[in-house]
Amino acid sequence: MATVTSLDQAAQISRSVIEISNRAIKLDPTRPDAHKLIWTNHVLMRNFVEAQNNCQSAVDRGGSIAFPVYHLSGTPHLETLYIGKASSVDRI
């Protein structure tokens, strides 16, 4: 994604990643990794309902999700919020 030159190109890459990730889910539905990839790409494409569904699927399978959060109260600062059931946080 770092080298895309248009929104159409980014959308096409996201659709390809989602398609490949769905194949991975069919092979092993117990692992959270493919759900995390789908979640990330739906967020990039602003499909927030689908992103939420896959985020929940990743967490339900033991994965963790990282969200960048910018706090405006007090001293403004960027922080990462981790959500998940895993004992160790895996970063995306």
Side-chain angles (χ1 to χ4, degrees):
M1 287 296 203
T3 61
V4 299
T5 57
S6 70
L7 292 175
D8 289 336
Q9 187 181 20
Q12 182 165 347
I13 292 170
S14 288
R15 285 190 296 273
S16 295
V17 170
I18 291 169
E19 180 183 328
I20 293 167
S21 297
N22 279 320
R23 289 182 200 165
I25 290 169
K26 287 181 182 179
L27 291 173
D28 186 357
T30 63
R31 296 191 55 193
D33 309 72
H35 294 279
K36 288 173 62 171
L37 282 172
I38 294 172
W39 165 75
T40 302
N41 282 278
H42 277 303
V43 168
L44 291 172
M45 292 174 40
R46 303 183 63 84
N47 297 331
F48 298 119
V49 172
E50 288 297 320
Q52 179 181 356
N53 293 337
N54 283 279
C55 176
Q56 187 63 53
S57 294
V59 171
D60 289 346
R61 286 157 181 78
S64 300
I65 303 294
F67 292 93
V69 178
Y70 191 75
H71 295 278
L72 295 175
S73 62
T75 304
H77 64 283
L78 184 63
E79 187 175 314
T80 303
L81 172 66
Y82 296 97
I83 299 173
K85 295 180 178 179
S87 58
S88 65
V89 176
D90 47 302
R91 303 189 192 286
I92 53 175

